[in-house]
Amino acid sequence: MLCIDNEPEILLGMESLLVRWGCQIYSAGSVKEARKVVEECGLPDILLVDYRLDDCIDGIQLVEELRKLSSVPVPAILITADKQDSVRDRCRDLDIKIMGKPVKPASLRALMTSLTAPVPVKALFEAKQEGAR
């Protein structure tokens, strides 16, 4: 998993949580660092990206850029406090899952599991999410 956030304390907290869950974590505090991690280590199983980055692009644009480096779709989760419909629409159009801040660990774990699970479980989770809307 590649975790990208420009706020060091949030990144550290997320890393700690994910390591406790047994995830192998690569972290980046900027777009430049994220590009370097992918260049050196390849694309991860999941991209976990903050929406607001200090660089010239946002988290959605970064996911798009990184996905272009792979021949297989890389699951992505965008973490944001932004409630604008435009952000949600962009995520929906690009099949980027979205989580609001503050992140609830149980919800994050369920979403991560659904993204890496075999298709039947994934379909059940997505059906449940659609029903909740």
Side-chain angles (χ1 to χ4, degrees), residues 56-75:
C56 57
I57 64 174
D58 63 37
I60 297 170
Q61 292 167 311
L62 180 59
V63 168
E64 283 184 288
E65 176 186 320
L66 296 177
R67 281 179 168 173
K68 288 178 184 175
L69 302 173
S70 177
S71 59
V72 296
V74 178

Side-chain angles (χ1 to χ4, degrees), residues 55-123:
D55 301 86
C56 57
I57 64 174
D58 63 37
I60 297 170
Q61 292 167 311
L62 180 59
V63 168
E64 283 184 288
E65 176 186 320
L66 296 177
R67 281 179 168 173
K68 288 178 184 175
L69 302 173
S70 177
S71 59
V72 296
V74 178
I77 302 171
L78 185 81
I79 308 290
T80 184
D82 195 317
K83 305 272 191 229
Q84 294 182 44
D85 288 339
S86 61
V87 172
R88 294 193 179 282
D89 292 345
R90 288 173 62 204
C91 285
R92 185 188 62 246
D93 292 345
L94 296 167
D95 193 26
I96 299 172
K97 304 306 179 197
I98 191 167
M99 292 203 76
K101 288 182 178 181
V103 171
K104 295 177 182 162
S107 296
L108 176 61
R109 189 167 192 168
L111 182 54
M112 288 171 45
T113 299
S114 78
L115 292 174
T116 58
V119 173
V121 173
K122 192 182 234 182

Side-chain angles (χ1 to χ4, degrees), residues 26-27 32-43 69:
Y26 298 96
S27 60
K32 182 178 179 179
E33 286 179 26
R35 290 173 179 147
K36 184 175 181 180
V37 168
V38 170
E39 181 181 303
E40 293 175 359
C41 304
L43 282 167
L69 302 173

Side-chain angles (χ1 to χ4, degrees), residues 13-65:
M14 190 63 72
E15 287 174 352
S16 177
L17 176 68
L18 296 169
V19 166
R20 284 195 310 268
W21 291 347
C23 299
Q24 180 180 357
I25 305 299
Y26 298 96
S27 60
S30 69
V31 169
K32 182 178 179 179
E33 286 179 26
R35 290 173 179 147
K36 184 175 181 180
V37 168
V38 170
E39 181 181 303
E40 293 175 359
C41 304
L43 282 167
D45 294 337
I46 298 176
L47 296 167
L48 185 58
V49 183
D50 189 57
Y51 177 60
R52 302 250 181 238
L53 302 173
D54 280 341
D55 301 86
C56 57
I57 64 174
D58 63 37
I60 297 170
Q61 292 167 311
L62 180 59
V63 168
E64 283 184 288
E65 176 186 320

